[in-house]
Amino acid sequence: QVHLQESGPGLVKPSQTLSLTCTVSGGSISSGSYYWGWIRQPAGGGLEWVGRIHTSGSTNYNPSLKSRVTISVETSKNQFSLNLSSVTAADTAVYYCARDPVWGQGTLVTVSS
Amino acid sequence: DVVMTQSPLSLPVTLGQPASISCRSSQSLVLSDGNTYLNWFQQRPGQSPRRLIYRVSNRDSGVPDRFSGSGSGTDFTLKISRVEAEDVGVYYCMQGSHWPSTFGGGTTVEIK
């Protein structure tokens, strides 16, 4: 069974770049045909897809965030990463990495000076 | 984006009684290959979402058979045949037929 674990800074200053990593264990990130994705959830709020990357390397980003989002894979480390630039307080949320049907435990990122 | 509308917002249920959650999409989720990518998730307090149902009616491994999904086109339902205490939480539908995938606003299931 695949296990996913998010990591990264819990506090990011406004206008800076939010960077998170998802470490995959129990399986290879380059095997099969899967989407590896990032979803976020503001405190007390609903769920929003940020973006995803396919095993083939193709990416899909939420159009509402598209100009600020980059998702990439580091095959040698069995990890995939999220970069979200020019963050504001509206980007404060719990960020989850996921690959159907498995989700990580989530990591809270707060945007504040 | 496809808008997913869930009802009710809150669902108080007596233990052992059935529960039903509705989810409607703003456009059809049926793709040209015949597949319909509609999932249901459960989020217990303090936990990550857990997928219960995929492609409308398929239960994920380990999901109790009291959970069932049905529907087609734009209208979908999650049913719990007999609610147990461990079923308390927020339930979300999610469509994966059209990018960006989108979630419903959630239905909170609580015990009366």
Side-chain angles (χ1 to χ4, degrees):
Chain A
Q1 173 77 327
V2 169
H3 178 75
L4 307 177
Q5 178 68 58
E6 306 88 348
S7 59
L11 181 64
V12 181
K13 288 181 167 53
S15 80
Q16 293 191 343
T17 296
L18 178 162
S19 295
L20 296 175
T21 297
C22 183
T23 300
V24 180
S25 57
S28 171
I29 198 169
S30 57
S31 297
S33 179
Y34 296 103
Y35 283 105
W36 303 87
W38 290 95
I39 303 104
R40 69 181 185 178
Q41 183 174 35
L47 296 157
E48 178 186 39
W49 271 89
V50 175
R52 64 187 185 181
I53 186 165
H54 191 261
T55 313
S56 65
S58 66
T59 54
N60 300 109
Y61 301 136
N62 192 318
S64 67
L65 303 168
K66 187 174 183 178
S67 62
R68 300 195 290 130
V69 177
T70 304
I71 296 175
S72 59
V73 167
E74 181 68 67
T75 304
S76 63
K77 295 182 179 179
N78 222 32
Q79 296 175 333
F80 65 106
S81 298
L82 167 68
N83 279 348
L84 181 65
S85 63
S86 305
V87 296
T88 70
D91 295 310
T92 294
V94 174
Y95 285 76
Y96 297 99
C97 59
R99 191 222 77 180
D100 274 348
V102 180
W103 290 48
Q105 68 182 28
T107 187
L108 173 62
V109 179
T110 301
V111 178
S112 174
S113 55
Chain B
D1 296 2
V2 177
V3 176
M4 305 297 288
T5 303
Q6 285 183 236
S7 62
L9 192 62
S10 177
L11 185 55
V13 187
T14 300
L15 287 174
Q17 292 301 301
S20 180
I21 301 170
S22 171
C23 175
R24 289 182 174 161
S25 57
S26 60
Q27 63 187 83
S28 176
L29 302 184
V30 183
L31 296 184
S32 56
D33 63 3
N35 285 313
T36 301
Y37 294 94
L38 186 285
N39 299 337
W40 288 96
F41 291 85
Q42 173 196 61
Q43 187 173 31
R44 292 172 171 152
Q47 295 187 12
S48 307
R50 167 199 182 195
R51 197 178 72 179
L52 300 175
I53 302 285
Y54 63 97
R55 274 189 272 125
V56 181
S57 60
N58 298 278
R59 263 191 309 277
D60 273 284
S61 176
V63 174
D65 61 8
R66 64 179 181 274
F67 290 93
S68 64
S70 63
S72 63
T74 62
D75 203 345
F76 305 93
T77 302
L78 175 70
K79 291 183 179 177
I80 310 174
S81 59
R82 297 172 305 278
V83 171
E84 298 188 6
E86 66 179 18
D87 300 336
V88 165
V90 182
Y91 290 76
Y92 297 94
C93 59
M94 187 207 87
Q95 69 81 19
S97 293
H98 308 285
W99 183 258
S101 297
T102 47
F103 293 88
T107 295
T108 300
V109 172
E110 58 186 39
I111 305 301
K112 277 185 188 175

